[in-house]
Amino acid sequence: MNFDRHNKSGAVRLIFALGFLAASHLAVAETLSRDEAIRLAFQNNRDLAIASLEIRRAATRLKWSGRLENPELEFARTGDGFGEDEGEGVAEIGFSQRFPITTRLKHEKNLRRYEVILAEAEIAEQRRKLAGEVDLALVELIATREKMAVSRELLRLNREIVDFLKQQAKEGLVSSLDVMQATLNGRTLEQQAKSLEAVEKQNLLRFVQHIGLEAGVTVEVETRFHVPGKQPGIDVSLETVLQRRPDYVLALAKTDEAAAAVTLEQAKRWQDVSVRLFVEQEDAIDDPDGLDGNTFSGFGISIPLPLRDQNQEGIEQAEINEEAAAKGVDAARFRIRSECEEAFHLRTDAWELARDASGELLDLAETNLEEFRK
């Protein structure tokens, strides 16, 4: 009875495991759209997951910033053991703490807050680049498969033409050279088809890699493009594009972070002052009573004088970084504007070519094919 019960339990677990694996395989094998592929890449990309830790690292620095340095506990004991050795000595215990006389801690926390924003902007930019890579890989894969479909259709038509020419050659209506030329064209088309199959495999492997799946996973994608009915317009302003571009937001975040760094370095012109509290016990010989003790307490302040070092180097370096960040914004703006103009023109040209290829030219080709088959 126990053996049968264990067997049934193991069989049930095995069925559930096989069902889970089958469900996982079917989930991967579902047809992916462009948006679904990008979401899958965001979920599975290892490098993006590692880069996301920078946000946590920056948040940790923000959490622990703006704090005072650890206090110092001091202890000292002196005696006359190498002198008269009369038992005289001094014991002292002290406590010291360094305090900023500027708003350095506040500016430090403010800088760390901008660093968190900067880390988030950097992650957003990496996600944008990953989305572009996934989208490009998918488009190349779909385009290659479309070429393969056209190549197969051309091979089919070429076979019909070869068979027709062979029949005509038997009747003496065409020469054998015409048959040979059509056959050679067929061989060329077959080589092109094999080359496209190799390219399709490479594009599929690249696409699977971008979305974070193993190389042997079967992935189905949408394999059709639709040509818009009217010419796409340029109805988006540059400012709208800039607000949606993570790389431009990243450039702006760098300027805010650089400005906060300049403020922090300027606050470091004055070094921290040290406040010290101490208690001192003194044992000394007091005539005529002899050895007697006395206790002292007090405080002290140590103020560094900025006569030579006023953090000039740190301030100048921060100002250079601020200037570089400002120029980075201009460079990002120019680059994005150029990319948009190029993309708009390429989209218009592609639309015109696609419209011609899917319109009159295809109708003419179908008409010629029908006439040939008659």
Side-chain angles (χ1 to χ4, degrees):
M1 293 295 293
N2 293 335
F3 179 76
D4 293 339
R5 184 163 55 251
H6 287 313
N7 283 344
K8 291 179 180 179
S9 177
V12 171
R13 288 196 296 268
L14 179 59
I15 291 174
F16 275 112
L18 292 176
F20 176 78
L21 291 176
S24 300
H25 177 74
L26 290 176
V28 174
E30 290 179 355
T31 302
L32 292 177
S33 65
R34 298 169 74 175
D35 293 339
E36 291 170 346
I38 292 174
R39 284 195 295 267
L40 191 61
F42 288 165
Q43 177 182 348
N44 297 334
N45 187 267
R46 281 74 169 173
D47 295 332
L48 188 61
I50 296 174
S52 299
L53 296 177
E54 290 298 326
I55 299 178
R56 292 175 53 188
R57 185 176 289 110
T60 301
R61 288 195 296 265
L62 172 62
K63 177 182 177 181
W64 298 105
S65 63
R67 297 171 180 262
L68 294 174
E69 297 180 3
N70 289 330
E72 296 181 2
L73 181 63
E74 304 174 358
F75 178 78
R77 178 71 173 90
T78 60
D80 63 345
F82 290 100
E84 297 294 337
D85 195 15
E86 294 178 347
E88 293 183 323
V90 178
E92 177 183 318
I93 183 171
F95 177 87
S96 62
Q97 174 68 61
R98 299 180 67 86
F99 295 93
I101 60 177
T102 64
T103 55
R104 177 179 61 84
L105 298 181
K106 175 183 177 181
H107 295 318
E108 179 183 349
K109 200 167 190 67
N110 189 44
L111 174 61
R112 297 295 178 260
R113 189 175 294 109
Y114 280 116
E115 288 178 351
V116 173
I117 298 175
L118 183 62
E120 293 174 348
E122 289 176 348
I123 295 301
E125 170 60 10
Q126 293 189 25
R127 289 165 64 92
R128 183 190 71 86
K129 290 181 178 180
L130 177 60
E133 293 173 355
V134 172
D135 193 46
L136 179 60
L138 179 59
V139 169
E140 290 178 348
L141 176 61
I142 296 174
T144 302
R145 289 179 175 178
E146 291 288 343
K147 292 179 181 179
M148 292 174 62
V150 173
S151 178
R152 287 192 293 268
E153 181 65 17
L154 290 176
L155 279 172
R156 186 186 63 81
L157 292 176
N158 186 78
R159 293 191 187 98
E160 292 184 7
I161 293 174
V162 170
D163 294 339
F164 176 78
L165 290 178
K166 287 182 179 179
Q167 184 64 32
Q168 295 292 310
K170 291 180 181 180
E171 297 177 4
L173 299 177
V174 297
S175 66
S176 60
L177 293 178
D178 295 329
V179 178
M180 182 62 65
Q181 183 63 43
T183 304
L184 291 176
N185 291 337
R187 296 289 187 271
T188 303
L189 291 174
E190 290 177 357
Q191 293 178 355
Q192 292 177 355
K194 292 180 179 179
S195 177
L196 287 174
E197 290 178 358
V199 173
E200 191 267 345
K201 291 180 181 179
Q202 296 174 2
N203 291 340
L204 179 60
L205 289 175
R206 188 181 301 111
F207 171 70
V208 169
Q209 178 184 2
H210 282 313
I211 63 178
L213 299 179
E214 299 295 335
V217 175
T218 302
V219 178
E220 297 296 334
V221 297
E222 295 180 352
T223 57
R224 288 293 176 184
F225 289 122
H226 301 283
V227 181
K230 61 179 181 178
Q231 180 178 353
I234 308 176
D235 54 356
V236 180
S237 65
L238 177 62
E239 296 301 326
T240 303
V241 174
L242 293 176
Q243 293 176 4
R244 298 178 180 179
R245 285 288 295 254
D247 48 348
Y248 186 73
V249 176
L250 176 61
L252 293 177
K254 288 182 178 180
T255 60
D256 295 335
E257 188 264 349
V262 171
T263 304
L264 176 60
E265 293 300 327
Q266 291 175 347
K268 291 181 180 180
R269 286 180 175 179
W270 286 84
Q271 300 179 9
D272 297 349
V273 300
S274 178
V275 178
R276 181 172 179 269
L277 302 176
F278 64 91
V279 177
E280 181 180 291
Q281 174 67 36
E282 181 182 10
D283 294 326
I285 296 178
D286 188 10
D287 293 333
D289 297 330
L291 188 64
D292 190 13
N294 196 6
T295 301
F296 301 89
S297 64
F299 72 93
I301 299 178
S302 176
I303 303 177
L305 298 178
L307 299 179
R308 297 183 179 86
D309 184 8
Q310 298 182 11
N311 197 31
Q312 296 93 332
E313 179 182 357
I315 294 174
E316 290 182 4
Q317 292 290 340
E319 290 175 346
I320 294 174
N321 293 336
E322 184 180 25
E323 182 180 356
K327 292 182 178 180
V329 173
D330 294 336
R333 186 183 183 90
F334 175 79
R335 182 182 66 254
I336 294 172
R337 183 175 67 249
S338 300
E339 290 178 357
C340 290
E341 292 177 355
E342 180 182 4
F344 287 143
H345 288 296
L346 288 177
R347 186 175 64 173
T348 301
D349 295 341
W351 178 83
E352 293 177 353
L353 292 174
R355 181 195 59 181
D356 294 339
S358 60
E360 298 178 357
L361 293 179
L362 288 181
D363 294 339
L364 181 61
E366 292 177 357
T367 301
N368 292 335
L369 179 60
E370 292 176 358
E371 292 294 332
F372 169 76
R373 288 176 176 173
K374 292 178 180 180

